[in-house]
Structure formats: C-alpha cells, structure tokens
Amino acid sequence: MTNAGEGHAPPAWAAHALGNVVVDGDTLAARVAELGRKITEDYSTDPPLLVGVLKGAMLFMSDLARSIELPVEVDFMAVSSYGTATSTSGVVRIVKDLDVDLKDRHVLVVEDIVDSGLTLNYLRRYLGARGPASLEVCALLLKEGEQRVTQSLKYVGFTIPSTFVVGYGLDVGERFRNLQGVYTYVGPESVDQ
Ligand code: IMP
C-alpha cells in the first residue's frame, strides 16, 4: 500500500533537497501503532527481542517499541554494506554486533527499508545461525519490485515506489534522518539507483 500523502510540504531547512512526500508523519505514526498492536497480539505469549538495525531503523524502533504492550527486550546491531553510497553490493560488514545471546529467543528484526533485500538476507543467515526460537522481520518500507533476493517479511509498514527516499531515520550522507516524514530525495548528491 503506497501512501502518497498530499499537502505535507517538506520543512524549509530541507526543501531544496526533497521532492514529494512518500509517507507523511501522521500516516507513519498511525501505521507504526497498528504494527505495534499486531505484534502485541502475535507475540502475547512469547515477548520478542527486538533487534534494530542501525542507523536507519532508529526512529522506527523507538516508536515501534513504545507501541508494543509486552515486556520486549531491545538490542541493536550496526551494519555497513559495501557498495556505493546509495546501493548495496550485498557484502555486509558487522560494525556493531548484538550484546545478547539469541539462543531460544523470539527475535524480531526491525529494519528501515528493504531495497535489493541483500542486507536482510545476510542478516537472516547471520542471526539464524545463533539458534533463535524464531526469527522474523518487521520492515517499515519495502521498495516495489526491487528485491533481488526473495524475502518473507512478517510485517511491512508500506510498499513504496522504487525511488531513493530520506527521512524518519533514512539518510543520504548522514543527513535528513530527522525528518518526520519520508520524502523522495532530489538533492545534489548523486544517487545511484
Ligand atoms: P538492500 O540491501 O538493497 O535491501 O538495502 C538495504 C539498506 O540500504 C537499508 O537498510 C538502507 O540502509 C539502505 N537503503 C536502501 N534504500 C534506501 C533509500 O531509499 N534511502 C536510504 N537508504 C536506503
């Protein structure tokens, strides 16, 4: 479901670099709350360990965790993909690993965006090898028709057109993560899509 929210102009400080709003802040908040309710139901007997993938999932993780009414635990890992600034090669380097043991845990990976799916594919194999009781994914955004790797995503916030986006945690060159909504990026830095 694509949400092209109209009438949500980007803030003045970022307007020069942004195109259309893809998902506005209010729509994001409503959907994150809905995902939280669904996760609360699905994991009612087995509260999950939420594994956030830094840095892109920082805002999503923070809002999602607060919308789940269960005693969840939270951990983070940081990965960096080899490739250009804006497209991944699928070779992933673990920059920060998890602090907790995954053995017999119900693990829910919280990811910002799935593009080619290569990063997630790598993470699944990496985390799956540590013996979790279950391993599922909650991705805020899924790019339409872009996946080079088949993924089964238990929870998806929004399916969006295949274009480079920023905001709500997503960046280009570390900027624009603090936008309340998700916008297409039309700024000066080259975007290799
Ligand atoms: P994938 O391995 O191609 O699925 O890429 C996943 C990672 O690339 C995400 O976790 C993001 O960090 C980054 N990424 C992919 N598309 C975008 C985008 O449109 N904006 C910002 N980051 C993106």
Side-chain angles (χ1 to χ4, degrees):
M1 88 223 65
T2 300
N3 263 67
E6 297 297 329
H8 288 84
W13 62 267
H16 67 284
L18 305 181
N20 296 330
V21 66
V22 178
V23 191
D24 64 73
D26 293 342
T27 308
L28 279 170
R31 181 69 179 137
V32 172
E34 202 170 86
L35 288 171
R37 281 195 293 274
K38 187 85 180 77
I39 291 167
T40 303
E41 271 170 41
D42 293 350
Y43 286 86
S44 59
T45 54
D46 300 298
L49 168 68
L50 303 178
V51 171
V53 185
L54 294 171
K55 301 175 192 168
M58 64 177 198
L59 296 186
F60 180 38
M61 171 64 121
S62 146
D63 288 340
L64 184 69
R66 281 179 289 180
S67 70
I68 299 173
E69 296 188 40
L70 294 171
V72 297
E73 290 177 37
V74 170
D75 201 357
F76 289 95
M77 56 192 304
V79 300
S80 118
S81 303
Y82 291 106
T84 66
T86 55
S87 75
T88 172
S89 64
V91 180
V92 175
R93 185 166 60 98
I94 306 291
V95 177
K96 182 216 170 291
D97 209 332
L98 296 172
D99 298 324
V100 303
D101 189 3
L102 298 191
K103 184 102 186 82
D104 300 328
R105 302 299 309 272
H106 291 278
V107 175
L108 182 58
V109 176
V110 178
E111 189 40 316
D112 53 357
I113 187 165
V114 178
D115 185 358
S116 69
L118 291 169
T119 304
L120 201 50
N121 193 47
Y122 177 88
L123 282 178
R124 261 188 197 281
R125 279 185 281 122
Y126 185 78
L127 299 176
R130 296 183 178 184
S134 67
L135 178 61
E136 301 289 354
V137 176
C138 179
L140 179 67
L141 304 171
L142 173 66
K143 282 197 192 173
E144 231 158 30
E146 280 299 290
Q147 290 71 53
R148 283 196 269 159
V149 180
T150 314
Q151 298 286 344
S152 99
L153 305 173
K154 185 158 179 160
Y155 307 98
V156 173
F158 301 90
T159 300
I160 63 166
S162 173
T163 171
F164 196 81
V165 294
V166 295
Y168 196 64
L170 294 160
D171 75 312
V172 61
E174 294 301 332
R175 284 177 301 131
F176 306 114
R177 294 193 195 276
N178 57 323
L179 289 166
Q180 290 187 19
V182 173
Y183 296 83
T184 57
Y185 176 74
V186 297
E189 288 180 41
S190 80
V191 173
D192 172 18
Q193 280 286 288

